[in-house]
Amino acid sequence: MSEEVATPVAKRPPSLRTPWRWTVLPVLVSVALVSFLVAAPQAQRGNPLIGVAFVALALGVTVYILRSGRVENARLLIFLSTGLLFTAVFEISNTINRGSILLSEQQLATVGAPICPVTIGFVLPPLLLNGQMIFPTTVQAALSITVMWVGFGLLLGRGWCSWMCFFGPMDQFFSRLGPTRRGGRPLVEIPERWHRQLRWLPYGLLLFLILVALVALEPIFCAWLCPLRLAYDPPAVTRTVEWLTVIVIVTLGMGLLVIGPFLTKRRLFCTYGCPLLPLNSIVGLLSPFRVKVDREKCKDCGICARVCPNSAITPATVAKGGTAMECTRCGTCMDRCPQKAIDYRLIGSNARARGAFIALAVAFSLLLLSSYVNGLEIYWQTGTMPPMGGA
Amino acid sequence: MHLLWQGLLLGLSTGLFCLGACAPALVPALLVGQRGWRGSAAVVAQVAGGRLLAYLIFGAAVGALGTALDPGSQALRRLGGVAMLLLALVLAAHLAGLGPRVATLPVCRLLPARVFRAPWAFGFLTGLSVCPPFLLALATALGAGGPLEGALFFAAFFAGTALYLLPLVPLGALGRWEAPRLVGRIAGMLAAGLFAVLGLGQVLLA
Ligand code: SF4
Ligand code: SF4
Ligand code: SF4
């Protein structure tokens, strides 16, 4: 009598790969968006070949992310390139148009400063309430950057902070570079009970900055506190007060953008210091996309909380099947979750939204990136570059 | 007009602190007794009236003192600086948990219960309490230019702060939730730091 031996069925490892039939539409959307936008009249000053290259890139990146089921590598490539190329364009433009990358009092009075989205939260209230523009730039520049940011915020939520923002790549880079100890832990860990309190820092900072902007009509964050000035518009130092500013900026910059992220593997500025974060998070509530945890698949291993560079997913949020509203939709937790329990979903439903989110995020981030490449190409050809952000 | 606008803005922008400073006393005071919506509105109106009266008297006095001191004088600027330093200290002490006793020292917390039965008196006394926004208003009103101007400035300041207090009274304080409490605390700490720097600068460099 022969006994039948049941052959064990090889269990396929869980995967977030999108089948081909669900890949085609997002790829078409992302390619069509990039083609349409790089062909728009405002974008046509550059070399048409750059447009073609970006359309091909949109195709390649969207297919890669959806078919491989991995977001992180391709996103990092786009995001870090955005930071690098934006910085190059910014510094070249300032050198050409105002003679230096440093920002002096005199330049402020004559040519102004380029406005950045980080200022929106405290520049808009005095502008809207009593018509006072407290940042040395034009109202038009402030409004156009606001409209751009609101558009992306409504669509992708805090996805702006992991796919498009030109300042975010700095702490992203150093947090990524930071070494790990055994068990994948960073050299310095931020205890969760600290994070629960620190999480509200940007909200308090924004409230404070709005109050000061309304009462004193001063953008004191830009003048005194912004760590980003380590790289963008560092102050020209001639007086004692400017030395003090430099000390504050260098200390905060090294702490929040370089050394801190390196040690903690957390994007410290983008988690605890950016005044745009609260607005990003709040506007993001209207975005159709969410990052959700499938509780049936989740084994509560805690890996997602350990790897999230924004501390936006914690055992507490996992237990509720989601993330904190500060989630930047970066995809790191999804890639690392052994159960593949985390994914992009549509708001208010459990419908998978990976294809739609990736198509839009890739298209718009590549579009921004193409504008910097165009700027550099124009500079290469003509030796000129238009001033940045209304300066 | 500028003075009114300034007072209103100051009130609007510091009104959340008012909430933190006086609401813990104000809300229970308003909740005692079973009143309907109309009764509750009447009590709120009385409290607000008492508060406005205190502000007008104090504003006029401070405005007059400012004239006597000659607006723009070194002494006045120094006095403003001292008020700011005081504000920074009170605010920091309050937020560090040395708390309610310092920030709302004279009246808000230490009021005898019977005062709660006369809402206008309660309003008047809360109006005189040395809470952080009040100190900031005081620093500004010193340079208002006269008793009338001082009173007007404080009236506008009242309107600004009342906007926050009134709708929140029936709701209970925002401070019941941890998140707004923390946000307020952080913003307050930063404000204390700023006022300390500004006040010190004004005292030393005036
Ligand atoms: S948190 Fe601020 S600096 Fe960081 S990516 Fe977002 S908007 Fe940019
Ligand atoms: S990594 Fe995946 S399985 Fe582990 S806790 Fe997070 S969601 Fe659950
Ligand atoms: S929760 Fe996941 S997607 Fe959101 S920021 Fe953290 S790692 Fe990125």
Side-chain angles (χ1 to χ4, degrees):
Chain A
M1 224 166 69
S2 70
E3 259 183 50
E4 272 189 24
V5 182
T7 20
V9 183
K11 210 175 160 197
R12 245 201 256 158
S15 158
L16 287 172
R17 289 172 62 146
T18 308
W20 272 113
R21 64 179 185 286
W22 295 115
T23 302
V24 177
L25 189 61
V27 170
L28 283 179
V29 168
S30 116
V31 166
L33 261 177
V34 175
S35 316
F36 175 72
L37 293 168
V38 292
Q42 310 90 294
Q44 270 184 352
R45 287 174 307 153
N47 188 332
L49 279 181
I50 295 177
V52 174
F54 270 89
V55 172
L57 205 56
L59 181 117
V61 170
T62 315
V63 169
Y64 169 74
I65 293 178
L66 294 180
R67 289 296 297 146
S68 69
R70 298 181 64 84
V71 182
E72 180 71 345
N73 296 341
R75 181 194 70 80
L76 269 179
L77 187 75
I78 298 177
F79 196 45
L80 296 181
S81 308
T82 298
L84 207 65
L85 294 185
F86 170 79
T87 310
V89 170
F90 188 90
E91 307 302 8
I92 293 173
S93 165
N94 283 342
T95 313
I96 293 176
N97 295 303
R98 65 178 195 217
S100 167
I101 63 163
L102 303 178
L103 186 63
S104 69
E105 290 283 326
Q106 196 201 352
Q107 285 159 343
L108 257 184
T110 50
V111 288
I115 184 142
C116 76
V118 169
T119 63
I120 289 172
F122 50 90
V123 165
L124 281 194
L127 183 63
L128 298 178
L129 280 175
N130 62 350
Q132 291 268 8
M133 172 46 112
I134 63 165
F135 193 91
T137 189
T138 60
V139 171
Q140 196 200 352
L143 292 182
S144 51
I145 202 150
T146 305
V147 169
M148 177 189 82
W149 166 79
V150 169
F152 288 137
L154 287 175
L155 204 57
L156 305 175
R158 261 204 100 201
W160 163 269
C161 297
S162 269
W163 290 84
M164 273 170 249
C165 178
F166 10 91
F167 300 127
M170 220 191 308
D171 61 1
Q172 171 86 76
F173 175 73
F174 286 104
S175 67
R176 188 72 192 185
L177 205 65
T180 43
R181 289 185 288 149
R182 243 184 312 147
R185 295 180 187 280
L187 293 182
V188 176
E189 267 182 283
I190 302 172
E192 205 204 322
R193 64 174 196 287
W194 286 21
H195 170 72
R196 276 206 299 272
Q197 312 260 319
L198 291 174
R199 174 187 172 197
W200 298 106
L201 259 174
Y203 296 83
L205 175 67
L206 179 63
L207 175 63
F208 166 70
L209 293 173
I210 292 174
L211 301 182
V212 175
L214 285 171
V215 174
L217 300 177
E218 286 284 344
I220 61 161
F221 181 77
C222 312
W224 280 94
L225 300 170
C226 178
L228 297 164
R229 292 188 69 193
L230 199 61
Y232 309 100
D233 283 338
V237 181
T238 48
R239 297 177 300 149
T240 316
V241 72
E242 285 158 350
W243 274 112
L244 287 175
T245 317
V246 168
I247 292 171
V248 173
I249 287 171
V250 170
T251 311
L252 288 177
M254 293 309 281
L256 294 175
L257 293 167
V258 182
I259 299 172
F262 183 82
L263 294 175
T264 58
K265 290 192 79 66
R266 291 287 185 267
R267 296 177 61 188
L268 290 189
F269 178 68
C270 298
T271 307
Y272 302 123
C274 176
L276 189 60
L277 181 155
L279 297 186
N280 260 330
S281 305
I282 292 164
V283 170
L285 293 175
L286 300 173
S287 147
F289 302 108
R290 293 288 181 276
V291 170
K292 289 194 183 167
V293 179
D294 184 337
R295 288 298 304 153
E296 283 177 14
K297 291 186 191 164
C298 174
K299 298 269 187 275
D300 290 315
C301 66
I303 290 177
C304 49
R306 210 177 308 142
V307 298
C308 173
N310 301 285
S311 301
I313 191 164
T314 61
T317 67
V318 169
K320 288 187 195 151
T323 66
M325 67 176 178
E326 290 83 12
C327 165
T328 63
R329 281 87 157 144
C330 69
T332 308
C333 55
M334 305 169 192
D335 286 9
R336 312 279 179 92
C337 169
Q339 302 303 319
K340 298 296 171 217
I342 316 174
D343 204 356
Y344 299 104
R345 306 265 164 189
L346 272 187
I347 186 173
S349 77
N350 234 2
R352 277 189 77 191
R354 173 166 281 246
F357 181 85
I358 293 299
L360 295 173
V362 167
F364 287 118
S365 52
L366 285 181
L367 185 75
L368 275 192
L369 193 58
S370 75
S371 69
Y372 308 139
V373 175
N374 267 332
L376 287 175
E377 212 266 336
I378 292 172
Y379 172 65
W380 182 262
Q381 297 292 339
T382 64
T384 62
M385 197 179 272
M388 301 286 291
Chain B
M1 196 60 211
H2 178 68
L3 204 66
L4 283 180
W5 183 235
Q6 218 185 348
L8 189 67
L9 268 185
L10 182 65
L12 280 172
S13 55
T14 58
L16 278 175
F17 290 133
C18 281
L19 193 73
C22 278
L26 195 60
V27 173
L30 288 164
L31 289 179
V32 288
Q34 290 190 338
R35 306 183 189 94
W37 272 103
R38 290 177 96 182
S40 180
V43 173
V44 172
Q46 280 191 54
V47 171
R51 201 172 141 95
L52 176 62
L53 185 67
Y55 276 3
L56 288 177
I57 294 171
F58 198 82
V62 168
L65 185 66
T67 323
L69 278 169
D70 170 24
S73 74
Q74 200 189 40
L76 191 59
R77 282 208 301 277
R78 287 221 165 113
L79 205 60
V82 171
M84 277 198 183
L85 271 176
L86 200 55
L87 163 70
L89 285 176
V90 166
L91 197 52
H94 178 60
L95 297 166
L98 302 174
R101 292 184 180 221
V102 183
T104 61
L105 190 61
V107 278
C108 281
R109 292 240 165 196
L110 305 176
L111 276 180
R114 69 190 131 84
V115 177
F116 295 141
R117 281 180 224 127
W120 66 268
F122 176 73
F124 184 86
L125 290 171
T126 57
L128 288 182
S129 75
V130 189
C131 74
F134 182 82
L135 277 176
L136 191 58
L138 165 69
T140 317
L142 270 171
L148 183 63
E149 287 82 354
L152 278 176
F153 174 81
F154 259 92
F157 175 68
F158 162 81
T161 53
L163 264 179
Y164 282 96
L165 284 176
L166 296 184
L168 285 172
V169 163
L171 293 177
L174 255 183
R176 280 182 184 185
W177 292 287
E178 199 196 358
R181 230 177 19 239
L182 273 170
V183 170
R185 182 175 286 232
I186 293 162
M189 278 295 186
L190 290 167
L194 177 70
F195 293 140
V197 171
L198 290 178
L200 209 61
Q202 212 158 312
V203 170
L204 296 176
L205 306 174

